[in-house]
Amino acid sequence: QVKLVESGGGLVQPGGSLKLSCAASEMYFSINAMGWFRQAPGKERELVAGISSGGRTKYGDSVKGRFDISRVNGENTMYLQMNSLKPEDTAVYYCSASYYYNLDDYEFWGQGTQVTVSS
């Protein structure tokens, strides 16, 4: 079982930046894919970005060029640097992890952290 803890959410003005962190606890098996999803009120959950243990990345179309995903494999930590934030980026952001390499499908989820972009 993998436990995921997100941090770094909050309120930011449009055009600002925010960095989310995710720490994964797993003692025995390798975590291969890690990702960030988000869900806004009344909308479906969507993939923001995913990253494999080998550094392969995937981004949702709405965040390409603005968000950057990274991870430290030895520490099972993952980050999401969010720049040029827009009000439509407002959502609960969830950290996810998988033993497998598919960047679209995850078995483990964090509790989520709220990101609000507003003036």
Side-chain angles (χ1 to χ4, degrees), residues 18-100:
L18 207 59
K19 187 173 184 178
L20 304 183
S21 301
C22 174
S25 62
E26 170 54 77
M27 294 179 60
Y28 302 108
F29 300 102
S30 296
I31 295 174
N32 288 308
M34 296 187 75
W36 290 98
F37 285 75
R38 68 185 182 187
Q39 187 166 21
K43 295 187 176 181
E44 293 187 355
R45 184 176 64 191
E46 63 173 347
L47 173 70
V48 176
I51 185 168
S52 72
S53 56
R56 179 172 57 96
T57 59
K58 179 177 182 177
Y59 291 91
D61 288 340
S62 61
V63 306
K64 286 179 181 177
R66 299 188 299 122
F67 290 11
D68 181 59
I69 189 171
S70 61
R71 65 185 286 180
V72 180
N73 286 330
E75 299 176 356
N76 278 340
T77 55
M78 176 179 63
Y79 304 96
L80 184 69
Q81 177 66 47
M82 304 184 292
N83 300 319
S84 302
L85 283 161
K86 305 175 181 179
E88 49 264 43
D89 294 318
T90 296
V92 177
Y93 284 70
Y94 296 92
C95 171
S96 58
S98 172
Y99 293 136
Y100 306 101

